[in-house]
Amino acid sequence: MRLARGLAFALLVVASASTRGNADPLWRLMELAQDGGGGGGSPATTRPSDLSGWAGPARLTSLPDLLQHAVRNAPALQTARIDISIAEAQIAQTYARDNWQLRGEVLGSSRSTFFGGFTIDRSTVVTGNLDIARMLPTGGTVTFHAGTQYQRATSPLSGEPATNWFDEVSVSFSQPLLRGRGRWLYESNERRAEISRDVSVLQRRLVAIQAIQTVVSAYWDLVLAERQIAITQASLDLANKRLELTTLGNQGGKIPRSEIPAVQQIIATREEEMLGAELGVLERSIAVRRATGLPIGAGELGLRVGADLETRDITLDLGQLTERAWAASPELAQLAKRGSVALLDIQVTENGLLPQLDAALTLGPMGQDDKFTGALENLVKLKSIAVGGSLTYQRSFGQEDVRGRAREIREQRRRLEVSAVDVRAQIAQTMARAVAQLELAKRRLALSQRAIDLAKENIQIETDRFNLGKATNFDVLNRSEELRQAELRKAQAMIDWHKAEAVIDALTGDILPRYGITLD
């Protein structure tokens, strides 16, 4: 608002300047500011606060350039890319389940017994263990174990120390048979992370479509503002020409001087409207810069596009377009992905209702001797083999926490289904409105073109009547105003057509390929 008031004040300073000259509205604004608003005096001294000093030249651009810049620099798209990278990092974190776990420990203890101030018994035990374990896709665990133990004890009878070495190597396997069993459970965290990544990819597509649609809409608003200036400028030129003819007719005695003020009034009105239209162009330029991420500041305000407003004849099938929009909708796809996560969470949670039944098996050789080498030799020769197994059952009764969690997730999934129905209805409503707006714009174009043709014909008729003395300049200029309004309505109808087409393309997902936008 502060910027708009500043611009309006600057424009009012130059309100009396001539509207002829350069066709570029922003360039003309700077020209007027440098002229100081005068018609024949010396140019005003340029001050830092002059419009030409901070608005800068109007930069010529095109829609493809604006869209490419928006895709590269839009903060929302950059954030979406970061979210995808975060999701991929979360997927990588789940790979830790395949890692081998290494665990080693050394334990030592020494005990002495005293009687009458003499040591009658002393024992020392040193144990070393090394385990390597890894989870299996079935939910079980395999463990490779190696251990050695050294014992030294002094007999209270003989007083001679005795040593003993005990070595063992074994492989252990444990497997849940009910709760926690299955590859799908083993990979559940990875599946969640992958779906989260898919949701982030869909979010990036949604953000890209919304960003492109915003830029396209702002672009056509700027085109309309430029067209409004061109139409008003043409009307102003016609009024100036009318003033010249009237002045010459008055000097020749054929036209009374009372016809001159009417033309001058129209010229003053058109000049005022030109100033407002030029401010509108500047505001639309700033909106385009904001939508595309272009710099906004002193010397970086104006844009110029000058696009072709012509429309094309297309046939629309509302039912087919709605089906395509549903199939291409990133919002519906995101809801479906979140529904998949909820279904996976329900399955994982309900798995916790099963009783725990775990089987374990251990197998491996052992070696024992009073020397380390002897114990190791006995181990290698498989003189002693240990086999062990276990079956563990455990069950909790009630389990209201698990049941409540499963019910909660089911309700969340139902809410996603309701949201999907609502989103489908919103898409259908938006598509129907866009198709109706496009069809209505086509009819408005035909009607406004007819009004333009009739207005031109009426201008000629009123001009002939004026030359015959049967009409006034006021009548002729009223017909000119009717022509201007009809041309403005036609321009607005064309812009509405293009905006409605952009909405349809955004809903069907065609907006990205239409403008050559690709998302890696």
Side-chain angles (χ1 to χ4, degrees):
M1 293 297 296
R2 185 178 299 173
L3 175 60
R5 290 196 295 268
L7 290 173
F9 178 78
L11 292 172
L12 290 174
V13 174
V14 299
S16 61
S18 173
T19 58
R20 301 178 185 177
N22 199 316
D24 186 345
L26 295 175
W27 194 243
R28 180 176 169 277
L29 280 174
M30 301 165 206
E31 220 174 50
L32 293 176
Q34 291 174 349
D35 289 343
S42 59
T45 303
T46 301
R47 299 184 301 275
S49 60
D50 287 341
L51 188 62
S52 60
W54 54 268
R59 171 184 169 185
L60 180 63
T61 186
S62 63
L63 183 56
D65 293 339
L66 292 172
L67 293 177
Q68 292 295 335
H69 191 278
V71 170
R72 291 192 302 268
N73 299 279
L77 279 173
Q78 295 178 5
T79 301
R81 294 191 194 100
I82 295 174
D83 290 340
I84 294 175
S85 298
I86 292 174
E88 290 175 345
Q90 291 172 345
I91 293 175
Q93 293 175 28
T94 65
Y95 298 155
R97 67 182 185 273
D98 296 327
N99 294 342
W100 288 92
Q101 303 294 327
L102 177 64
R103 179 176 180 269
E105 64 177 3
V106 176
L107 304 175
S109 65
S110 179
R111 185 181 63 183
S112 299
T113 302
F114 300 94
F115 182 78
F118 297 94
T119 301
I120 62 173
D121 183 19
R122 174 179 293 174
S123 63
T124 301
V125 179
V126 178
T127 304
N129 295 311
L130 181 65
D131 295 315
I132 300 177
R134 182 186 185 277
M135 287 189 64
L136 300 175
T138 59
T141 304
V142 60
T143 304
F144 297 95
H145 171 76
T148 183
Q149 186 180 72
Y150 168 74
Q151 295 180 347
R152 179 183 177 87
T154 301
S155 173
L157 298 177
S158 63
E160 296 294 329
T163 61
N164 182 54
W165 285 90
F166 176 81
D167 297 335
E168 64 174 341
V169 174
S170 65
V171 56
S172 300
F173 172 73
S174 63
Q175 173 63 46
L177 302 179
L178 293 176
R179 185 195 304 174
R181 180 180 65 87
R183 188 182 188 93
W184 67 272
L185 190 61
Y186 175 78
E187 296 177 347
S188 60
N189 289 333
E190 180 183 0
R191 181 59 182 154
R192 285 193 192 93
E194 287 177 346
I195 295 176
S196 177
R197 189 266 317 277
D198 295 342
V199 170
S200 298
V201 171
L202 290 168
Q203 181 63 24
R204 184 189 178 193
R205 178 175 176 80
L206 175 61
V207 169
I209 290 175
Q210 292 174 343
I212 297 305
Q213 185 180 357
T214 300
V215 173
V216 170
S217 179
Y219 171 84
W220 287 118
D221 285 338
L222 177 56
V223 172
L224 176 61
E226 290 185 352
R227 184 57 61 92
Q228 289 172 340
I229 280 189
I231 293 172
T232 305
Q233 180 66 55
S235 179
L236 179 58
D237 292 342
L238 184 61
N240 281 320
K241 184 177 180 180
R242 192 72 198 165
L243 178 61
E244 293 177 0
L245 295 175
T246 303
T247 302
L248 291 176
N250 174 256
Q251 292 174 354
K254 296 181 179 180
I255 300 176
R257 183 171 180 78
S258 59
E259 292 291 337
I260 296 179
V263 185
Q264 291 176 331
Q265 178 185 357
I266 292 296
I267 291 175
T269 301
R270 293 292 177 273
E271 289 179 343
E272 182 181 0
E273 290 171 347
M274 279 291 294
L275 293 175
E278 288 162 352
L279 178 59
V281 169
L282 195 57
E283 289 177 341
R284 298 295 183 273
S285 298
I286 294 173
V288 171
R289 286 180 174 273
R290 177 68 182 87
T292 56
L294 288 170
I296 302 175
E300 294 285 352
L301 291 180
L303 292 174
R304 185 176 61 184
V305 289
D308 185 9
L309 274 179
E310 293 303 320
T311 60
R312 55 193 178 93
D313 189 15
I314 56 176
T315 302
L316 300 176
D317 185 337
L318 179 58
Q320 182 182 9
L321 288 173
T322 303
E323 291 290 340
R324 288 184 56 200
W326 287 340
S329 171
E331 298 100 317
L332 288 176
Q334 285 179 320
L335 290 173
K337 292 292 184 181
R338 293 191 176 104
S340 299
V341 172
L343 181 60
L344 178 61
D345 289 340
I346 291 173
Q347 294 172 345
V348 172
T349 303
E350 291 184 340
N351 182 265
L353 295 173
L354 297 175
Q356 182 178 351
L357 182 61
D358 298 341
L361 178 66
T362 303
L363 175 66
M366 298 183 298
Q368 186 173 358
D369 195 83
D370 58 352
K371 296 182 180 179
F372 175 76
T373 55
L376 185 60
E377 181 179 355
N378 293 333
L379 174 70
V380 174
K381 292 181 178 181
L382 304 179
K383 289 188 174 182
S384 178
I385 297 178
V387 178
S390 66
L391 188 64
T392 304
Y393 178 84
Q394 181 179 348
R395 181 180 182 86
S396 298
F397 294 96
Q399 296 181 294
E400 283 78 8
D401 56 340
V402 180
R403 299 179 189 277
R405 174 60 180 162
R407 180 183 175 186
E408 176 188 356
I409 300 173
R410 282 198 185 91
E411 295 301 320
Q412 291 175 351
R413 188 164 181 260
R414 287 183 56 194
R415 184 171 60 184
L416 291 174
E417 294 173 352
V418 173
S419 299
V421 173
D422 184 55
V423 170
R424 288 170 68 90
Q426 292 177 14
I427 292 174
Q429 177 186 6
T430 306
M431 179 63 75
R433 184 184 294 115
V435 171
Q437 289 176 346
L438 194 144
E439 293 293 340
L440 181 61
K442 290 165 60 176
R443 299 181 185 180
R444 288 165 55 198
L445 284 174
L447 293 174
S448 58
Q449 183 59 52
R450 182 183 177 188
I452 290 172
D453 296 338
L454 291 174
K456 291 180 179 178
E457 183 178 348
N458 286 330
I459 289 175
Q460 185 60 46
I461 293 173
E462 291 296 337
T463 301
D464 294 341
R465 293 181 70 244
F466 177 83
N467 293 335
L468 294 175
K470 296 182 179 180
T472 64
N473 270 333
F474 185 78
D475 298 325
V476 176
L477 293 173
N478 273 344
R479 296 300 185 183
S480 175
E481 173 63 13
E482 292 173 357
L483 174 62
R484 186 177 79 95
Q485 291 299 329
E487 290 177 339
L488 288 174
R489 289 195 299 272
K490 181 180 179 181
Q492 183 66 63
M494 287 182 171
I495 294 299
D496 291 343
W497 190 96
H498 285 289
K499 283 188 172 182
E501 183 186 39
V503 172
I504 294 173
D505 288 341
L507 291 174
T508 59
D510 295 337
I511 195 169
L512 298 181
R514 179 180 296 278
Y515 295 107
I517 304 299
T518 57
L519 301 176
D520 52 343

